[in-house]
Amino acid sequence: MKKILILLLILVLVPAMLMTGCGGAESASEDDQSESGQSEQSEEASEAVDGMGDLLSAAYVDMMEDNEYLMSYKATMDFEGQSMEMEATVAAAGDDMAMTSSGEGFESTIIIKGDKIHMVDHGSKTVTSWAQTQDQMDSMETGTFDAEGITYIGNGEEDGLIFEEYSTLDGSVKYYFQGKELVKIAVTSEGQTMMMEIIELSDDVPASMFEIPAGYQQFEM
């Protein structure tokens, strides 16, 4: 149960951190390159995204600025030496966030609402709730996560897809696009990689995502 909880918390935070991180990311040229180097990198990025002039990932940051989005994806990741696959849907509506996920042997939902976090186990039909820390609530209210150390590296083409790559404090993030549509995200951290295949990404968020199922046994932790 502890292992599953850690995985779910990772998968809840990763999409929010990635999308917010893009908006707060700095170009590597700001610290490491001359003014002419900055110009060359900007021109290269523009050419790579077919003359758009801006990074493709910026469009998705703009969509999420109002904290109103739904993102469904398939995730493959290594955890404690084992390969794991799961499907997940993350939703945000203002200060509220929820994620449903399913994989081998489990189906769960995490709901972050008000000052509480609710862990819903559909197999046992139980809900375990606990209070958020003040730091967690402050992060939800500002709609941001710490983007320190997230730096734009560059872009290119891989397997027929355009990618934009960022470095992080302990790894890297790659966004893959088919045309202008985001289709995959690869997150590498401390030598481990999680691949997220995007199924749906929109601003149509159903209210049912944030409802605790009726009839489930509830526990306070």
Side-chain angles (χ1 to χ4, degrees), residues 95-163:
D95 292 337
D96 299 337
M97 180 174 281
M99 187 193 78
T100 61
S101 61
S102 60
E104 187 176 351
F106 75 94
E107 181 183 357
S108 300
T109 300
I110 288 181
I111 301 171
I112 303 174
K113 191 172 183 179
D115 62 351
K116 288 286 189 72
I117 298 175
H118 308 277
M119 174 77 174
V120 183
D121 185 334
H122 297 287
S124 62
K125 296 187 183 300
T126 59
V127 181
T128 304
S129 303
W130 63 93
Q132 293 193 70
T133 66
Q134 189 59 50
D135 286 346
Q136 289 170 333
M137 287 189 288
D138 290 344
S139 291
M140 294 299 293
E141 286 173 5
T142 58
T144 61
F145 289 85
D146 187 0
E148 182 182 355
I150 299 178
T151 304
Y152 175 67
I153 298 175
N155 48 54
E157 195 168 322
E158 190 175 295
D159 298 328
L161 301 174
I162 293 171
F163 71 81

Side-chain angles (χ1 to χ4, degrees), residues 30-170:
E30 290 178 4
D31 296 323
D32 304 327
Q33 297 182 3
S34 65
E35 204 168 294
S36 61
Q38 292 179 4
S39 177
E40 285 176 14
Q41 188 180 52
S42 178
E43 289 173 6
E44 182 183 335
S46 297
E47 290 171 5
V49 297
D50 214 18
M52 282 182 64
D54 291 322
L55 295 174
L56 288 168
S57 49
Y60 292 89
V61 174
D62 291 342
M63 188 188 79
M64 295 186 173
E65 277 184 346
D66 293 333
N67 271 0
E68 195 85 19
Y69 66 87
L70 180 139
M71 179 180 179
S72 296
Y73 57 93
K74 292 181 180 179
T76 304
M77 66 183 295
D78 291 326
F79 188 78
E80 296 182 350
Q82 296 182 346
S83 179
M84 296 192 66
E85 295 183 356
M86 64 175 65
E87 292 191 14
T89 298
V90 178
D95 292 337
D96 299 337
M97 180 174 281
M99 187 193 78
T100 61
S101 61
S102 60
E104 187 176 351
F106 75 94
E107 181 183 357
S108 300
T109 300
I110 288 181
I111 301 171
I112 303 174
K113 191 172 183 179
D115 62 351
K116 288 286 189 72
I117 298 175
H118 308 277
M119 174 77 174
V120 183
D121 185 334
H122 297 287
S124 62
K125 296 187 183 300
T126 59
V127 181
T128 304
S129 303
W130 63 93
Q132 293 193 70
T133 66
Q134 189 59 50
D135 286 346
Q136 289 170 333
M137 287 189 288
D138 290 344
S139 291
M140 294 299 293
E141 286 173 5
T142 58
T144 61
F145 289 85
D146 187 0
E148 182 182 355
I150 299 178
T151 304
Y152 175 67
I153 298 175
N155 48 54
E157 195 168 322
E158 190 175 295
D159 298 328
L161 301 174
I162 293 171
F163 71 81
E164 295 173 357
E165 186 173 9
Y166 295 78
S167 68
T168 64
L169 290 174
D170 58 2

Side-chain angles (χ1 to χ4, degrees), residues 111 113 118 120 127 129 208-216 218:
I111 301 171
K113 191 172 183 179
H118 308 277
V120 183
V127 181
S129 303
S208 58
M209 286 288 298
F210 309 100
E211 296 175 359
I212 296 174
Y216 280 30
Q218 298 195 30

